[in-house]
Amino acid sequence: MQAFLLIPESEWKEVLERLVRLEEAEQQRTKEKEALPADEILNVRQAAALLKVTPGGLRRARRAGRVKGVRINEKEWGFYTSELHRYLNRYNRM
């Protein structure tokens, strides 16, 4: 059994306009996402050099939750460059 819904023409046009605006916004968001540079993963030494701290200081910051790290393997951690820039901006360490 199929159900039918009757919608007045003015409401239908409004729904279509909203759909077009949503599609345009999605296309714009996709373009902006493509324009961002690729996020690179740096090891502890590279990340510490970028932040101008010691590798031990970076490890302490990760354990304290100030910087988010990702596991590279069982022993090593990596850090996204976007996360490191966020850390720099947050703690005013430019």
Side-chain angles (χ1 to χ4, degrees):
M1 183 171 155
Q2 293 181 346
F4 291 94
L5 178 64
L6 295 176
I7 300 175
E9 186 177 355
S10 60
E11 287 182 26
W12 178 248
K13 287 182 180 181
E14 184 180 322
V15 168
L16 289 178
E17 288 174 10
R18 290 181 69 190
L19 180 62
V20 168
R21 287 194 307 260
L22 281 172
E23 288 174 343
E24 290 171 355
E26 180 62 26
Q27 288 175 353
Q28 181 67 25
R29 193 172 70 84
T30 304
K31 287 179 185 177
E32 290 172 359
K33 195 173 187 180
E34 291 172 356
L36 293 175
D39 209 9
E40 187 179 354
I41 296 178
L42 303 179
N43 65 24
V44 175
R45 285 189 187 132
Q46 294 168 332
L50 178 73
L51 296 177
K52 297 180 182 159
V53 298
T54 64
L58 181 59
R59 288 184 187 104
R60 283 190 297 276
R62 183 193 52 79
R63 281 188 223 117
R66 293 190 301 266
V67 179
K68 293 180 185 175
V70 292
R71 280 278 207 189
I72 295 175
N73 58 34
E74 290 181 13
K75 290 185 177 184
E76 294 182 35
W77 284 86
F79 300 90
Y80 286 109
T81 53
S82 61
E83 176 65 19
L84 297 173
H85 289 294
R86 184 199 61 79
Y87 177 80
L88 283 172
N89 293 336
R90 180 173 180 189
Y91 292 99
N92 298 320
R93 302 190 60 174
M94 290 191 185

